[in-house]
Each structure stands twice: as C-alpha cells, then as structure tokens.
Amino acid sequence: MSDTFHVVCPKCDATNRIPRDRPADAAKCGHCHARLFEGQPIALTTQRFHKHVAESDIPVIADFWAAWCGPCRTMAPIFERAARELEPRARFVKVDVDSEPQLANEYGIQGIPALIAFKKGQVAARRAGVTDLNALKGWVQQLAI
C-alpha cells in the first residue's frame, strides 16, 4: 500500500495527495487551500463527477436524486449525516438526475434515490431506495480504505 492517497478537491477539483500518516480530515487543497473534507455531500456536474470518481483513491458514494422526489428528500438528511460521520474514509457526492440526465443514463438509474459506490473508478456496489443511517454507514464502511 502506498504511503499516500489521492483526493479531488471539492472546490477547485484539483487532485491532491494526502500522506496516510497525517489526519486527512484536516487536509487542505494544495491549489486553492480549501479544506478537502467538509463533512457534507458535494453537488457535482457530469464533468466534475467523472474527475472525482476517476482520480480519488477513497470510495466515492453517489446519491442520484431529484428535488421533486419525496423519498429523495427523506434520504437527504441521512446521506448528509453519513458524510459528516464517515468522511474522510469516503467522499459523498450528489447528482441531480434532472440536471444531469446523461450521467443518470450512463449508470442505468431507473429509480431514485439510487446510491452507487465507486472504488478505483469502477462501480463497486449499488443500493436503491431510502436506507437508514446504520445500514448506509455499514455499507460504506465495507468499501472504505
């Protein structure tokens, strides 16, 4: 295992290398100096999404959702709490399927909310529908580095 891992900045999308022997939750971007982990999901466009998935060494957990979706609104605070509690072991991102329909189509999203976990740029796991916090945390922890 390498002495470092890569994470994409949530603000400027620069890829950063973090030493494993330092606390990642305090890490800052080498380009824009923003905190790399803010304890909240990041809303991503298709282009930004592909960069985060391809260049992050930690799992990326994507919530595909829509503002009009009742179950998505139920899932949102659960997903936000998971981000607060589990970063920096995983990156939490949100994709609005109405704003990014091509991305939703690319990953075969047929119902929302839909969670997809990416590891090393590949789909590692999927979950459909609303899930409780403990189940979500257990699912993510199985994937984390």
Side-chain angles (χ1 to χ4, degrees), residues 68-79:
W68 51 263
C69 169
C72 297
R73 290 192 304 271
T74 300
M75 186 68 210
I78 297 166
F79 196 72

Side-chain angles (χ1 to χ4, degrees), residues 113-117 125-129 131-132 135-136 139:
L115 302 178
I116 301 180
R126 293 176 174 261
R127 278 188 95 102
T131 189
D132 66 67
L136 176 57
W139 185 66

Side-chain angles (χ1 to χ4, degrees), residues 34-67:
R35 290 189 60 176
L36 291 176
F37 297 100
E38 300 175 324
Q40 61 185 356
I42 306 164
L44 296 178
T45 62
T46 299
Q47 182 178 358
R48 293 184 70 212
F49 177 86
H50 286 299
K51 178 160 178 110
H52 280 260
V53 166
E55 297 185 16
S56 291
D57 289 335
I58 61 173
V60 175
I61 313 302
D63 177 12
F64 288 82
W65 71 286

Side-chain angles (χ1 to χ4, degrees), residues 75-130:
M75 186 68 210
I78 297 166
F79 196 72
E80 288 169 10
R81 185 159 174 206
R84 272 193 314 274
E85 294 183 16
L86 296 175
E87 279 191 351
R89 292 178 289 190
R91 167 73 74 208
F92 289 79
V93 303
K94 295 185 74 70
V95 177
D96 182 340
V97 297
D98 289 335
S99 298
E100 304 297 331
Q102 292 174 327
L103 190 58
N105 187 49
E106 179 179 342
Y107 290 102
I109 303 301
Q110 296 179 351
I112 53 174
L115 302 178
I116 301 180
F118 296 86
K119 202 166 180 182
K120 299 186 185 210
Q122 302 296 317
V123 173
R126 293 176 174 261
R127 278 188 95 102
V130 176

Side-chain angles (χ1 to χ4, degrees), residues 1-7 16-22 57-58 120 145:
M1 184 182 293
S2 171
D3 291 339
T4 62
F5 64 99
H6 294 93
V7 174
N16 290 264
R17 187 175 52 222
I18 301 174
R20 289 187 190 277
D21 62 353
R22 292 195 188 148
D57 289 335
I58 61 173
K120 299 186 185 210
I145 58 172

